[in-house]
Amino acid sequence: MRIQNNMWKAVILIGGPDKGTRFRPLSLDVPKPIFPVAGIPMIQHHIEACSKVPEIKEVNLIGFFHYTEMLKSFITMAKQKYSLSIKYLSEYGPLGTAGGLYHFRDQILSGTPEAFFVFNSDVCCNFPLSDILHFHQSKNGDNRITIVATEATHSESMSYGCLVEDENTNEATHYVEKPETFVSSLINCGVYVFTPDVLRCYMAEVFRQHQEESLEMGMGDSNFPDAIKLETEILAGYAGSGKMFVYKTKEIWGQIKSAASAIHANKLYLSVYRRTKPEVLAKKNPDGPIIRGDVFIHESASVDPTAVLGPNVTLGENVEIGAGVRVSNSIVLSGAKLNDHCCVLNTIIGWKCKVGEWSRVEGTAQQPDPNAPYSKIISGQLFNEDGRLIPSITVLGREVDVAPEIIILNSIVLPNKNIHANSKNQIIL
Ligand code: GTP
Protein backbone atom coordinates (compact mmCIF):
# COMPACT_ATOMS: atom_id res chain seq x y z
CA MET A 1 0.00 0.00 0.00
CA ARG A 2 1.26 3.47 -0.88
CA ILE A 3 1.39 6.08 1.83
CA GLN A 4 -0.75 9.02 0.74
CA ASN A 5 0.06 12.50 1.84
CA ASN A 6 -2.05 15.51 1.33
CA MET A 7 0.32 17.16 -1.13
CA TRP A 8 -0.86 17.95 -4.64
CA LYS A 9 0.92 19.43 -7.65
CA ALA A 10 -0.13 21.04 -10.89
CA VAL A 11 1.21 20.86 -14.42
CA ILE A 12 0.46 23.46 -17.09
CA LEU A 13 1.07 22.39 -20.69
CA ILE A 14 2.40 25.51 -22.35
CA GLY A 15 3.35 24.12 -25.76
CA GLY A 16 6.06 25.85 -27.76
CA PRO A 17 6.86 28.26 -30.57
CA ASP A 18 5.22 26.19 -33.30
CA LYS A 19 1.95 26.28 -31.35
CA GLY A 20 -0.27 29.35 -31.21
CA THR A 21 -0.07 30.02 -34.95
CA ARG A 22 -3.66 31.27 -34.96
CA PHE A 23 -2.49 33.85 -32.44
CA ARG A 24 -0.05 35.57 -34.79
CA PRO A 25 1.19 38.27 -35.02
CA LEU A 26 0.82 38.65 -31.24
CA SER A 27 2.60 35.37 -30.48
CA LEU A 28 5.62 36.58 -32.49
CA ASP A 29 6.45 38.95 -29.64
CA VAL A 30 5.50 36.96 -26.59
CA PRO A 31 4.97 33.25 -25.95
CA LYS A 32 1.20 32.81 -26.17
CA PRO A 33 0.87 31.38 -22.63
CA ILE A 34 2.10 34.66 -21.17
CA PHE A 35 0.04 36.93 -23.41
CA PRO A 36 -1.96 39.16 -21.04
CA VAL A 37 -5.69 38.62 -20.76
CA ALA A 38 -7.65 40.73 -18.27
CA GLY A 39 -4.42 42.39 -17.18
CA ILE A 40 -2.31 39.31 -16.39
CA PRO A 41 -0.57 36.61 -18.44
CA MET A 42 -2.90 33.84 -19.59
CA ILE A 43 -1.36 31.18 -17.33
CA GLN A 44 -1.20 33.48 -14.33
CA HIS A 45 -4.96 32.85 -14.02
CA HIS A 46 -4.20 29.12 -13.65
CA ILE A 47 -1.39 29.77 -11.16
CA GLU A 48 -3.50 32.16 -9.11
CA ALA A 49 -6.23 29.49 -8.88
CA CYS A 50 -3.62 26.91 -7.75
CA SER A 51 -2.33 29.30 -5.08
CA LYS A 52 -5.78 29.31 -3.45
CA VAL A 53 -5.75 25.55 -2.88
CA PRO A 54 -3.65 24.79 0.20
CA GLU A 55 -2.89 21.24 -0.97
CA ILE A 56 -1.12 22.46 -4.14
CA LYS A 57 2.53 23.07 -3.34
CA GLU A 58 4.18 23.05 -6.75
CA VAL A 59 3.36 24.10 -10.31
CA ASN A 60 5.36 22.73 -13.23
CA LEU A 61 5.17 24.41 -16.62
CA ILE A 62 5.99 21.91 -19.36
CA GLY A 63 6.78 23.15 -22.83
CA PHE A 64 9.35 23.45 -25.56
CA PHE A 65 9.90 27.22 -25.63
CA HIS A 66 13.48 28.41 -25.15
CA TYR A 67 13.81 29.51 -21.56
CA THR A 68 14.02 33.21 -22.46
CA GLU A 69 14.26 36.23 -20.14
CA MET A 70 10.54 36.80 -20.64
CA LEU A 71 9.59 33.35 -19.39
CA LYS A 72 12.20 33.53 -16.61
CA SER A 73 10.98 36.86 -15.30
CA PHE A 74 7.36 35.68 -15.44
CA ILE A 75 8.25 32.64 -13.32
CA THR A 76 10.29 34.76 -10.86
CA MET A 77 7.39 37.19 -10.48
CA ALA A 78 4.80 34.38 -10.04
CA LYS A 79 6.93 32.54 -7.47
CA GLN A 80 7.19 35.66 -5.35
CA LYS A 81 3.59 36.71 -5.73
CA TYR A 82 1.99 33.34 -5.00
CA SER A 83 4.61 31.73 -2.68
CA LEU A 84 4.50 28.54 -4.73
CA SER A 85 7.30 26.43 -6.10
CA ILE A 86 7.11 27.03 -9.87
CA LYS A 87 9.43 25.29 -12.32
CA TYR A 88 9.86 25.23 -16.05
CA LEU A 89 10.50 21.75 -17.45
CA SER A 90 11.73 22.05 -21.00
CA GLU A 91 10.93 19.33 -23.52
CA TYR A 92 13.58 18.68 -26.18
CA GLY A 93 10.82 19.04 -28.81
CA PRO A 94 7.04 18.84 -29.10
CA LEU A 95 6.23 15.75 -27.06
CA GLY A 96 2.49 16.25 -27.41
CA THR A 97 0.00 16.80 -24.64
CA ALA A 98 1.07 13.69 -22.70
CA GLY A 99 4.68 13.00 -23.80
CA GLY A 100 6.05 15.69 -21.49
CA LEU A 101 4.06 14.37 -18.55
CA TYR A 102 5.68 10.97 -19.02
CA HIS A 103 9.14 12.38 -19.78
CA PHE A 104 9.13 14.42 -16.56
CA ARG A 105 7.37 11.78 -14.43
CA ASP A 106 10.17 11.67 -11.84
CA GLN A 107 9.97 15.43 -11.23
CA ILE A 108 6.17 15.39 -11.15
CA LEU A 109 6.00 12.46 -8.75
CA SER A 110 8.87 13.56 -6.49
CA GLY A 111 7.69 14.06 -2.92
CA THR A 112 4.90 11.51 -3.62
CA PRO A 113 1.97 13.83 -4.36
CA GLU A 114 -1.47 12.35 -3.78
CA ALA A 115 -2.53 13.54 -7.23
CA PHE A 116 -1.78 16.32 -9.70
CA PHE A 117 -3.80 18.71 -11.83
CA VAL A 118 -3.02 19.06 -15.53
CA PHE A 119 -4.13 22.19 -17.39
CA ASN A 120 -4.04 23.21 -21.00
CA SER A 121 -2.54 26.69 -20.94
CA ASP A 122 -5.00 28.07 -23.47
CA VAL A 123 -8.21 27.59 -21.53
CA CYS A 124 -10.02 30.38 -19.77
CA CYS A 125 -11.95 29.27 -16.71
CA ASN A 126 -12.47 30.28 -13.13
CA PHE A 127 -11.09 26.90 -12.10
CA PRO A 128 -13.16 25.53 -9.18
CA LEU A 129 -10.07 23.57 -8.08
CA SER A 130 -11.04 22.78 -4.48
CA ASP A 131 -14.32 21.27 -5.67
CA ILE A 132 -12.54 19.27 -8.36
CA LEU A 133 -9.99 18.06 -5.81
CA HIS A 134 -12.74 16.85 -3.45
CA PHE A 135 -14.59 15.23 -6.35
CA HIS A 136 -11.44 13.34 -7.34
CA GLN A 137 -10.86 12.24 -3.74
CA SER A 138 -14.44 10.95 -3.53
CA LYS A 139 -13.78 8.39 -6.29
CA ASN A 140 -11.97 5.10 -5.84
CA GLY A 141 -9.03 3.58 -7.64
CA ASP A 142 -5.25 4.08 -7.56
CA ASN A 143 -5.00 4.94 -11.21
CA ARG A 144 -7.90 7.26 -11.86
CA ILE A 145 -8.36 10.37 -13.96
CA THR A 146 -10.86 13.15 -13.39
CA ILE A 147 -11.68 15.14 -16.47
CA VAL A 148 -13.44 18.50 -16.22
CA ALA A 149 -16.24 18.91 -18.74
CA THR A 150 -18.82 21.47 -19.76
CA GLU A 151 -21.86 21.53 -22.04
CA ALA A 152 -21.61 22.91 -25.58
CA THR A 153 -24.17 23.04 -28.37
CA HIS A 154 -24.47 19.99 -30.63
CA SER A 155 -22.71 21.59 -33.57
CA GLU A 156 -19.95 23.25 -31.51
CA SER A 157 -19.21 20.06 -29.58
CA MET A 158 -17.60 18.47 -32.63
CA SER A 159 -14.72 20.96 -32.44
CA TYR A 160 -13.75 19.60 -29.03
CA GLY A 161 -13.12 16.32 -27.21
CA CYS A 162 -16.54 14.78 -26.49
CA LEU A 163 -17.43 12.66 -23.46
CA VAL A 164 -20.25 10.30 -22.65
CA GLU A 165 -20.93 10.02 -18.94
CA ASP A 166 -22.76 7.47 -16.81
CA GLU A 167 -24.71 9.95 -14.72
CA ASN A 168 -25.10 7.56 -11.79
CA THR A 169 -21.40 6.96 -11.26
CA ASN A 170 -19.90 9.94 -13.13
CA GLU A 171 -17.76 7.48 -15.07
CA ALA A 172 -16.69 8.48 -18.56
CA THR A 173 -17.85 5.62 -20.72
CA HIS A 174 -16.70 7.02 -24.08
CA TYR A 175 -14.30 9.73 -25.32
CA VAL A 176 -13.83 10.91 -28.90
CA GLU A 177 -11.58 13.81 -29.88
CA LYS A 178 -13.22 16.15 -32.41
CA PRO A 179 -15.70 13.57 -33.73
CA GLU A 180 -16.98 13.80 -37.30
CA THR A 181 -20.54 13.07 -36.23
CA PHE A 182 -22.31 14.05 -33.06
CA VAL A 183 -21.28 12.03 -29.99
CA SER A 184 -22.19 14.14 -26.98
CA SER A 185 -22.58 17.78 -26.07
CA LEU A 186 -20.37 17.26 -23.01
CA ILE A 187 -16.89 18.54 -23.91
CA ASN A 188 -13.41 18.27 -22.44
CA CYS A 189 -12.34 21.53 -20.77
CA GLY A 190 -8.60 20.77 -20.87
CA VAL A 191 -8.39 20.51 -17.06
CA TYR A 192 -7.68 17.12 -15.47
CA VAL A 193 -6.58 15.37 -12.31
CA PHE A 194 -4.34 12.31 -12.46
CA THR A 195 -3.35 9.96 -9.67
CA PRO A 196 0.33 8.98 -9.92
CA ASP A 197 -0.33 5.43 -11.09
CA VAL A 198 -1.74 6.73 -14.37
CA LEU A 199 1.78 7.92 -15.15
CA ARG A 200 3.51 4.91 -13.65
CA CYS A 201 1.34 2.25 -15.29
CA TYR A 202 -0.91 3.32 -18.15
CA MET A 203 1.32 5.97 -19.71
CA ALA A 204 4.35 3.74 -19.24
CA GLU A 205 2.58 1.09 -21.30
CA VAL A 206 1.60 3.58 -24.04
CA PHE A 207 5.19 4.82 -24.09
CA ARG A 208 6.52 1.24 -24.35
CA GLN A 209 4.22 0.55 -27.31
CA HIS A 210 5.48 3.72 -29.00
CA GLN A 211 9.06 2.62 -28.57
CA GLU A 212 8.30 -0.79 -30.08
CA GLU A 213 6.45 0.75 -33.01
CA SER A 214 9.23 3.22 -33.77
CA LEU A 215 11.83 0.45 -33.61
CA GLU A 216 9.78 -1.57 -36.08
CA MET A 217 9.11 1.38 -38.41
CA GLY A 218 12.31 3.41 -38.06
CA MET A 219 11.44 6.86 -36.82
CA GLY A 220 8.00 6.68 -38.47
CA ASP A 221 6.59 10.01 -39.58
CA SER A 222 7.60 11.80 -36.39
CA ASN A 223 10.97 13.13 -35.32
CA PHE A 224 9.74 12.72 -31.79
CA PRO A 225 8.92 9.08 -31.14
CA ASP A 226 8.36 9.97 -27.46
CA ALA A 227 5.41 12.20 -28.39
CA ILE A 228 2.11 11.05 -26.89
CA LYS A 229 -1.28 12.66 -27.40
CA LEU A 230 -3.24 12.79 -24.18
CA GLU A 231 -6.61 13.07 -25.87
CA THR A 232 -6.43 10.25 -28.40
CA GLU A 233 -3.88 7.93 -26.83
CA ILE A 234 -4.72 8.17 -23.15
CA LEU A 235 -8.24 9.53 -22.60
CA ALA A 236 -9.90 7.64 -25.46
CA GLY A 237 -8.40 4.39 -24.19
CA TYR A 238 -9.18 5.14 -20.56
CA ALA A 239 -12.87 5.85 -21.15
CA GLY A 240 -15.02 2.86 -20.29
CA SER A 241 -12.43 1.42 -17.90
CA GLY A 242 -14.31 2.58 -14.81
CA LYS A 243 -11.29 4.70 -13.85
CA MET A 244 -12.06 7.99 -15.58
CA PHE A 245 -14.59 10.32 -13.99
CA VAL A 246 -16.35 13.41 -15.27
CA TYR A 247 -16.55 16.56 -13.17
CA LYS A 248 -19.14 18.81 -14.81
CA THR A 249 -18.83 22.54 -14.43
CA LYS A 250 -21.28 25.30 -15.24
CA GLU A 251 -18.63 27.96 -14.65
CA ILE A 252 -17.39 30.20 -17.43
CA TRP A 253 -15.15 28.39 -19.89
CA GLY A 254 -13.53 29.17 -23.22
CA GLN A 255 -10.47 28.32 -25.28
CA ILE A 256 -7.94 30.94 -26.32
CA LYS A 257 -6.77 29.92 -29.76
CA SER A 258 -7.17 33.05 -31.89
CA ALA A 259 -6.85 36.74 -31.02
CA ALA A 260 -10.65 36.96 -31.25
CA SER A 261 -10.98 34.39 -28.52
CA ALA A 262 -8.57 36.40 -26.34
CA ILE A 263 -11.06 39.28 -26.51
CA HIS A 264 -13.82 36.90 -25.47
CA ALA A 265 -11.65 35.45 -22.65
CA ASN A 266 -10.87 39.01 -21.52
CA LYS A 267 -14.60 39.60 -21.19
CA LEU A 268 -15.12 36.33 -19.27
CA TYR A 269 -12.26 36.99 -16.84
CA LEU A 270 -13.41 40.58 -16.22
CA SER A 271 -16.84 39.20 -15.35
CA VAL A 272 -15.15 36.84 -12.87
CA TYR A 273 -13.28 39.81 -11.32
CA ARG A 274 -16.64 41.55 -10.89
CA ARG A 275 -17.79 38.63 -8.73
CA THR A 276 -14.56 37.70 -6.96
CA LYS A 277 -12.39 40.82 -6.70
CA PRO A 278 -14.40 43.86 -7.83
CA GLU A 279 -11.79 46.15 -6.31
CA VAL A 280 -9.47 45.59 -9.29
CA LEU A 281 -12.04 46.95 -11.77
CA ALA A 282 -12.25 50.65 -12.62
CA LYS A 283 -14.80 52.53 -10.53
CA LYS A 284 -17.34 54.97 -11.89
CA ASN A 285 -16.24 58.40 -10.84
CA PRO A 286 -17.99 61.75 -11.53
CA ASP A 287 -14.62 63.26 -12.43
CA GLY A 288 -14.36 60.79 -15.29
CA PRO A 289 -13.39 58.89 -17.33
CA ILE A 290 -16.79 57.39 -18.12
CA ILE A 291 -16.72 53.68 -17.32
CA ARG A 292 -19.27 51.32 -18.86
CA GLY A 293 -19.41 47.75 -17.58
CA ASP A 294 -16.23 45.88 -16.71
CA VAL A 295 -12.99 47.76 -17.29
CA PHE A 296 -9.51 46.97 -15.97
CA ILE A 297 -6.98 49.83 -15.97
CA HIS A 298 -3.37 49.18 -14.98
CA GLU A 299 -2.33 51.53 -12.20
CA SER A 300 0.37 53.09 -14.39
CA ALA A 301 -2.01 53.91 -17.29
CA SER A 302 -3.11 57.50 -17.78
CA VAL A 303 -6.62 58.18 -18.99
CA ASP A 304 -8.09 61.55 -19.91
CA PRO A 305 -11.26 62.24 -17.88
CA THR A 306 -13.27 62.78 -21.08
CA ALA A 307 -12.57 59.28 -22.44
CA VAL A 308 -15.32 56.66 -22.50
CA LEU A 309 -14.19 53.11 -21.71
CA GLY A 310 -16.04 49.80 -21.72
CA PRO A 311 -17.54 47.38 -21.57
CA ASN A 312 -14.86 44.67 -21.55
CA VAL A 313 -11.75 46.78 -21.83
CA THR A 314 -8.29 46.12 -20.42
CA LEU A 315 -5.62 48.82 -20.47
CA GLY A 316 -2.06 47.62 -19.84
CA GLU A 317 0.97 49.22 -18.24
CA ASN A 318 1.78 52.83 -19.19
CA VAL A 319 -1.04 53.04 -21.72
CA GLU A 320 -2.04 56.63 -22.54
CA ILE A 321 -5.60 57.49 -23.46
CA GLY A 322 -6.29 60.98 -24.85
CA ALA A 323 -9.31 63.27 -24.67
CA GLY A 324 -12.60 62.03 -26.11
CA VAL A 325 -11.23 58.57 -26.88
CA ARG A 326 -13.76 55.71 -27.05
CA VAL A 327 -12.69 52.12 -26.35
CA SER A 328 -14.90 49.06 -26.00
CA ASN A 329 -14.45 45.28 -26.05
CA SER A 330 -10.70 45.60 -26.54
CA ILE A 331 -7.30 44.89 -25.04
CA VAL A 332 -4.77 47.73 -25.19
CA LEU A 333 -1.28 46.38 -24.51
CA SER A 334 1.46 48.11 -22.55
CA GLY A 335 2.97 51.34 -23.80
CA ALA A 336 0.26 51.99 -26.41
CA LYS A 337 -1.00 55.52 -26.96
CA LEU A 338 -4.51 56.31 -28.19
CA ASN A 339 -4.56 59.93 -29.30
CA ASP A 340 -7.46 62.34 -28.85
CA HIS A 341 -10.88 61.37 -30.22
CA CYS A 342 -9.83 58.06 -31.72
CA CYS A 343 -12.19 55.13 -31.45
CA VAL A 344 -11.14 51.52 -30.79
CA LEU A 345 -13.77 48.77 -30.88
CA ASN A 346 -13.31 44.96 -30.81
CA THR A 347 -9.56 45.25 -31.23
CA ILE A 348 -6.24 44.22 -29.73
CA ILE A 349 -3.86 47.16 -29.82
CA GLY A 350 -0.28 45.83 -29.68
CA TRP A 351 2.55 46.97 -27.43
CA LYS A 352 3.69 50.58 -28.03
CA CYS A 353 1.25 51.19 -30.89
CA LYS A 354 0.07 54.70 -31.62
CA VAL A 355 -3.38 55.48 -32.95
CA GLY A 356 -3.73 58.97 -34.45
CA GLU A 357 -6.36 61.58 -33.64
CA TRP A 358 -9.88 60.89 -34.95
CA SER A 359 -8.84 57.48 -36.33
CA ARG A 360 -11.16 54.52 -36.03
CA VAL A 361 -9.81 51.01 -35.45
CA GLU A 362 -12.61 48.51 -35.41
CA GLY A 363 -13.19 44.77 -35.63
CA THR A 364 -16.17 42.46 -35.57
CA ALA A 365 -16.67 40.65 -32.29
CA GLN A 366 -17.27 36.93 -32.38
CA GLN A 367 -19.92 36.04 -29.84
CA PRO A 368 -21.37 32.79 -28.61
CA ASP A 369 -24.81 32.11 -30.12
CA PRO A 370 -27.17 34.17 -27.91
CA ASN A 371 -30.04 31.75 -28.61
CA ALA A 372 -28.16 28.65 -27.48
CA PRO A 373 -27.63 28.48 -23.72
CA TYR A 374 -24.41 26.43 -23.85
CA SER A 375 -22.89 28.14 -26.86
CA LYS A 376 -19.13 28.66 -26.80
CA ILE A 377 -17.15 30.71 -29.26
CA ILE A 378 -15.30 28.52 -31.70
CA SER A 379 -11.89 30.00 -31.76
CA GLY A 380 -10.71 28.83 -35.02
CA GLN A 381 -10.43 29.81 -38.58
CA LEU A 382 -8.91 33.03 -39.84
CA PHE A 383 -9.93 32.35 -43.46
CA ASN A 384 -13.04 30.95 -45.10
CA GLU A 385 -12.99 28.28 -47.84
CA ASP A 386 -12.29 30.91 -50.54
CA GLY A 387 -9.18 32.03 -48.69
CA ARG A 388 -10.82 35.28 -47.61
CA LEU A 389 -10.30 36.70 -44.15
CA ILE A 390 -13.35 35.99 -42.01
CA PRO A 391 -14.51 39.31 -40.50
CA SER A 392 -13.14 39.24 -37.00
CA ILE A 393 -11.49 41.50 -34.50
CA THR A 394 -8.78 43.90 -35.62
CA VAL A 395 -5.27 43.26 -34.36
CA LEU A 396 -2.42 45.79 -34.47
CA GLY A 397 0.96 44.09 -33.95
CA ARG A 398 3.71 45.66 -31.85
CA GLU A 399 4.66 49.31 -32.57
CA VAL A 400 2.18 49.95 -35.34
CA ASP A 401 1.64 53.65 -35.98
CA VAL A 402 -1.76 54.62 -37.35
CA ALA A 403 -1.87 58.14 -38.82
CA PRO A 404 -4.69 60.52 -37.85
CA GLU A 405 -8.14 60.19 -39.46
CA ILE A 406 -7.63 56.64 -40.76
CA ILE A 407 -10.20 53.82 -40.68
CA ILE A 408 -9.01 50.26 -40.12
CA LEU A 409 -11.72 47.64 -40.19
CA ASN A 410 -11.47 43.85 -39.54
CA SER A 411 -7.77 43.82 -40.35
CA ILE A 412 -4.60 42.26 -39.02
CA VAL A 413 -1.58 44.56 -39.09
CA LEU A 414 1.87 43.06 -38.68
CA PRO A 415 4.37 44.72 -36.33
CA ASN A 416 6.21 48.00 -37.04
CA LYS A 417 3.94 49.26 -39.84
CA ASN A 418 3.08 52.88 -40.45
CA ILE A 419 -0.50 53.03 -41.64
CA HIS A 420 -1.46 56.02 -43.77
CA ALA A 421 -4.39 54.55 -45.75
CA ASN A 422 -7.74 53.08 -44.80
CA SER A 423 -8.04 49.31 -44.80
CA LYS A 424 -10.86 46.82 -44.63
CA ASN A 425 -10.70 43.00 -44.31
CA GLN A 426 -6.96 42.96 -44.97
CA ILE A 427 -3.79 41.49 -43.59
CA ILE A 428 -1.21 44.26 -43.79
CA LEU A 429 2.19 42.62 -44.17
P1 GTP B 1 -6.32 22.37 -31.56
O1 GTP B 1 -7.76 22.78 -31.66
O2 GTP B 1 -5.80 21.65 -32.75
O3 GTP B 1 -5.42 23.51 -31.14
O4 GTP B 1 -6.26 21.26 -30.44
P2 GTP B 1 -6.40 21.37 -28.88
O5 GTP B 1 -7.37 22.39 -28.43
O6 GTP B 1 -6.60 19.99 -28.34
O7 GTP B 1 -5.01 21.94 -28.48
P3 GTP B 1 -3.60 21.27 -28.49
O8 GTP B 1 -3.71 19.80 -28.38
O9 GTP B 1 -2.78 21.77 -29.61
O10 GTP B 1 -3.04 21.88 -27.14
C1 GTP B 1 -3.64 21.74 -25.87
C2 GTP B 1 -2.68 22.33 -24.85
O11 GTP B 1 -1.50 21.56 -24.80
C3 GTP B 1 -2.23 23.76 -25.15
O12 GTP B 1 -2.10 24.43 -23.93
C4 GTP B 1 -0.87 23.57 -25.79
O13 GTP B 1 -0.02 24.66 -25.53
C5 GTP B 1 -0.36 22.32 -25.11
N1 GTP B 1 0.47 21.51 -25.99
C6 GTP B 1 0.18 21.08 -27.25
N2 GTP B 1 1.21 20.35 -27.74
C7 GTP B 1 2.16 20.33 -26.77
C8 GTP B 1 3.46 19.74 -26.68
O14 GTP B 1 3.97 19.11 -27.60
N3 GTP B 1 4.12 19.91 -25.50
C9 GTP B 1 3.59 20.62 -24.45
N4 GTP B 1 4.30 20.73 -23.35
N5 GTP B 1 2.39 21.21 -24.52
C10 GTP B 1 1.68 21.05 -25.65
mmCIF file of all heavy atoms in Angstrom, residues 60 77 84 118 224 309 333 335 356 395 415-416 426:
data_model
loop_
_atom_site.group_PDB
_atom_site.id
_atom_site.type_symbol
_atom_site.label_atom_id
_atom_site.label_comp_id
_atom_site.label_asym_id
_atom_site.label_seq_id
_atom_site.Cartn_x
_atom_site.Cartn_y
_atom_site.Cartn_z
ATOM 1 N N ASN A 60 4.341 22.964 -12.202
ATOM 2 C CA ASN A 60 5.358 22.728 -13.232
ATOM 3 C C ASN A 60 4.809 23.170 -14.581
ATOM 4 O O ASN A 60 3.727 22.734 -14.992
ATOM 5 C CB ASN A 60 5.693 21.231 -13.305
ATOM 6 C CG ASN A 60 6.419 20.771 -12.069
ATOM 7 O OD1 ASN A 60 7.545 21.181 -11.820
ATOM 8 N ND2 ASN A 60 5.763 19.941 -11.274
ATOM 9 N N MET A 77 8.468 36.355 -11.012
ATOM 10 C CA MET A 77 7.385 37.186 -10.476
ATOM 11 C C MET A 77 6.310 36.292 -9.825
ATOM 12 O O MET A 77 5.872 36.528 -8.697
ATOM 13 C CB MET A 77 6.789 38.012 -11.621
ATOM 14 C CG MET A 77 5.586 38.866 -11.296
ATOM 15 S SD MET A 77 4.026 37.984 -11.192
ATOM 16 C CE MET A 77 3.792 37.425 -12.867
ATOM 17 N N LEU A 84 4.585 29.930 -4.284
ATOM 18 C CA LEU A 84 4.498 28.538 -4.732
ATOM 19 C C LEU A 84 5.843 28.157 -5.335
ATOM 20 O O LEU A 84 6.565 29.025 -5.835
ATOM 21 C CB LEU A 84 3.463 28.425 -5.858
ATOM 22 C CG LEU A 84 1.991 28.263 -5.522
ATOM 23 C CD1 LEU A 84 1.157 28.435 -6.789
ATOM 24 C CD2 LEU A 84 1.725 26.888 -4.909
ATOM 25 N N VAL A 118 -3.647 18.732 -14.241
ATOM 26 C CA VAL A 118 -3.022 19.058 -15.528
ATOM 27 C C VAL A 118 -3.938 20.066 -16.223
ATOM 28 O O VAL A 118 -5.163 19.867 -16.273
ATOM 29 C CB VAL A 118 -2.853 17.803 -16.414
ATOM 30 C CG1 VAL A 118 -2.333 18.178 -17.794
ATOM 31 C CG2 VAL A 118 -1.916 16.796 -15.751
ATOM 32 N N PHE A 224 9.840 12.822 -33.243
ATOM 33 C CA PHE A 224 9.740 12.723 -31.793
ATOM 34 C C PHE A 224 8.967 11.469 -31.413
ATOM 35 O O PHE A 224 7.775 11.527 -31.131
ATOM 36 C CB PHE A 224 9.063 13.985 -31.225
ATOM 37 C CG PHE A 224 9.822 15.227 -31.575
ATOM 38 C CD1 PHE A 224 9.378 16.046 -32.606
ATOM 39 C CD2 PHE A 224 10.986 15.543 -30.911
ATOM 40 C CE1 PHE A 224 10.096 17.168 -32.954
ATOM 41 C CE2 PHE A 224 11.703 16.672 -31.260
ATOM 42 C CZ PHE A 224 11.266 17.494 -32.284
ATOM 43 N N LEU A 309 -14.788 54.454 -21.642
ATOM 44 C CA LEU A 309 -14.193 53.109 -21.713
ATOM 45 C C LEU A 309 -15.208 52.048 -21.325
ATOM 46 O O LEU A 309 -15.922 52.190 -20.334
ATOM 47 C CB LEU A 309 -13.011 53.004 -20.738
ATOM 48 C CG LEU A 309 -11.900 54.038 -20.844
ATOM 49 C CD1 LEU A 309 -10.871 53.834 -19.736
ATOM 50 C CD2 LEU A 309 -11.210 53.940 -22.205
ATOM 51 N N LEU A 333 -2.479 46.931 -25.157
ATOM 52 C CA LEU A 333 -1.278 46.383 -24.511
ATOM 53 C C LEU A 333 -0.315 47.484 -24.084
ATOM 54 O O LEU A 333 -0.416 48.640 -24.532
ATOM 55 C CB LEU A 333 -0.602 45.392 -25.450
ATOM 56 C CG LEU A 333 -1.461 44.143 -25.709
ATOM 57 C CD1 LEU A 333 -0.890 43.295 -26.833
ATOM 58 C CD2 LEU A 333 -1.588 43.300 -24.440
ATOM 59 N N GLY A 335 2.238 50.305 -23.075
ATOM 60 C CA GLY A 335 2.965 51.340 -23.800
ATOM 61 C C GLY A 335 2.215 51.916 -24.983
ATOM 62 O O GLY A 335 2.743 52.785 -25.685
ATOM 63 N N GLY A 356 -3.654 57.520 -34.252
ATOM 64 C CA GLY A 356 -3.731 58.969 -34.447
ATOM 65 C C GLY A 356 -5.094 59.552 -34.095
ATOM 66 O O GLY A 356 -6.096 58.825 -33.977
ATOM 67 N N VAL A 395 -6.452 43.420 -35.198
ATOM 68 C CA VAL A 395 -5.266 43.264 -34.361
ATOM 69 C C VAL A 395 -4.170 44.162 -34.914
ATOM 70 O O VAL A 395 -3.844 44.085 -36.104
ATOM 71 C CB VAL A 395 -4.752 41.802 -34.381
ATOM 72 C CG1 VAL A 395 -3.511 41.666 -33.509
ATOM 73 C CG2 VAL A 395 -5.827 40.831 -33.933
ATOM 74 N N PRO A 415 3.646 43.743 -37.145
ATOM 75 C CA PRO A 415 4.366 44.721 -36.331
ATOM 76 C C PRO A 415 5.110 45.782 -37.153
ATOM 77 O O PRO A 415 5.461 45.557 -38.324
ATOM 78 C CB PRO A 415 5.382 43.861 -35.560
ATOM 79 C CG PRO A 415 4.808 42.496 -35.560
ATOM 80 C CD PRO A 415 4.032 42.363 -36.814
ATOM 81 N N ASN A 416 5.348 46.923 -36.530
ATOM 82 C CA ASN A 416 6.208 48.001 -37.043
ATOM 83 C C ASN A 416 5.737 48.631 -38.341
ATOM 84 O O ASN A 416 6.549 49.109 -39.137
ATOM 85 C CB ASN A 416 7.653 47.486 -37.248
ATOM 86 C CG ASN A 416 8.203 46.895 -35.981
ATOM 87 O OD1 ASN A 416 8.186 47.562 -34.939
ATOM 88 N ND2 ASN A 416 8.632 45.654 -36.020
ATOM 89 N N GLN A 426 -8.284 43.195 -44.376
ATOM 90 C CA GLN A 426 -6.958 42.958 -44.973
ATOM 91 C C GLN A 426 -5.976 42.454 -43.937
ATOM 92 O O GLN A 426 -6.129 42.709 -42.753
ATOM 93 C CB GLN A 426 -6.393 44.273 -45.498
ATOM 94 C CG GLN A 426 -6.916 44.652 -46.857
ATOM 95 C CD GLN A 426 -6.215 45.897 -47.352
ATOM 96 O OE1 GLN A 426 -4.994 45.997 -47.287
ATOM 97 N NE2 GLN A 426 -6.983 46.851 -47.832
#
